[in-house]
Amino acid sequence: MPSKPLLLLQAVDLRRADETSDDSKIIIKSLAFPPIRFVKSEHNPGGGVGAVGFLQPRIEILEPKFDAGGVDSDIFRGMGTRQKWVFAAAYRDTSSNKSLPGRGIIEAAVSGWEPDASDPAEFQGCSHEFAECVHFEFKIDGRGHFYYDFFERALRTLDGQDIWDVGGMRQALG
C-alpha cells in the first residue's frame, strides 16, 4: 500500500477575490483557516449509563484569521463589510518534490484588528480576524476538501460528499 504524501506548507498569500493583482505575499506572516467543528447535541438519558454528543450535519461558526508584518492599510478598506477573499498556499509534496496549489475561498468580514506592541527596535505586526463567514471552501491541487455555503445550504467534505443530506434530509424537508 503506498504511503500518504507528506504535504509541507511553503508559502501563503491573501487577497480580495476580485483584485487578483493585489496580494499580500510580502507582508503576510501566517494564516489560520477556521477550525471545522460539527455541532454536537448532547443526550444524557436518565436511564442510561452515560451521555453521548450526537453529531449534527451542521458546523459551528467559522472564524478565520491572519497575521501581517507591519500595518496593512488596505485591510481597513471595507472593514466590517462582507467580502470574498482568496487564501492561496503552496504545498510541497515531499515524496515527489512537486509544489501543489492550495486555495481557500472565504466570504466574510474583517471584524478585528489587533496591532502588536509598538517598539522601534522590532517590526510591528498586526492580527486580523474575520466574522460573518457565510462561505468557505478549501482545495489542494484542485481537489475539494471542504465546502460550506450558508445561503446555498451546502456542506460538503472530500470530493463533494454531501454531509447535509444525511439519510435523505433534503427530500424529507421537501
Side-chain angles (χ1 to χ4, degrees):
M1 172 186 246
S3 63
K4 295 177 185 175
L6 175 62
L7 301 180
L8 178 65
L9 180 65
Q10 293 182 296
V12 295
D13 189 15
L14 167 70
R15 57 186 168 265
R16 286 180 176 86
D18 59 349
E19 298 177 14
T20 56
S21 63
D22 183 28
D23 60 47
S24 302
K25 63 183 170 248
I26 301 301
I27 63 171
I28 193 164
K29 292 191 328 188
S30 67
L31 67 88
F33 285 134
I36 298 168
R37 294 186 182 99
F38 283 87
V39 171
K40 290 183 266 186
S41 296
E42 184 178 322
H43 178 59
N44 193 355
V49 296
V52 175
F54 287 102
L55 291 180
Q56 295 286 345
R58 57 181 49 223
I59 58 172
E60 294 179 359
I61 294 172
L62 298 176
E63 295 177 315
K65 56 189 173 185
F66 71 96
D67 292 329
V71 177
D72 182 356
S73 297
D74 192 53
I75 292 299
F76 293 93
R77 182 171 48 96
M79 191 171 182
T81 304
R82 199 170 59 230
Q83 300 174 22
K84 193 173 274 190
W85 297 83
V86 175
F87 285 75
Y91 291 94
R92 181 170 57 92
D93 181 335
T94 58
S95 61
S96 67
N97 208 30
K98 179 181 174 187
S99 290
L100 305 174
R103 292 292 178 271
I105 308 295
I106 295 174
E107 186 177 342
V110 175
S111 64
W113 173 69
E114 182 180 349
D116 293 343
S118 295
D119 180 348
E122 293 184 29
F123 203 69
Q124 182 184 32
C126 299
S127 296
H128 305 275
E129 298 172 356
F130 288 91
E132 198 177 318
C133 184
V134 297
H135 180 91
F136 172 68
E137 61 184 276
F138 177 62
K139 297 178 180 182
I140 296 179
D141 201 23
R143 184 178 185 198
H145 283 61
F146 191 81
Y147 183 93
Y148 161 79
D149 193 289
F150 177 81
F151 296 113
E152 288 177 26
R153 207 163 57 178
L155 182 60
R156 297 189 293 266
T157 60
L158 193 62
D159 296 329
Q161 180 185 357
D162 189 349
I163 294 298
W164 205 75
D165 196 25
V166 173
M169 185 166 44
R170 289 185 198 280
Q171 184 178 359
L173 287 172

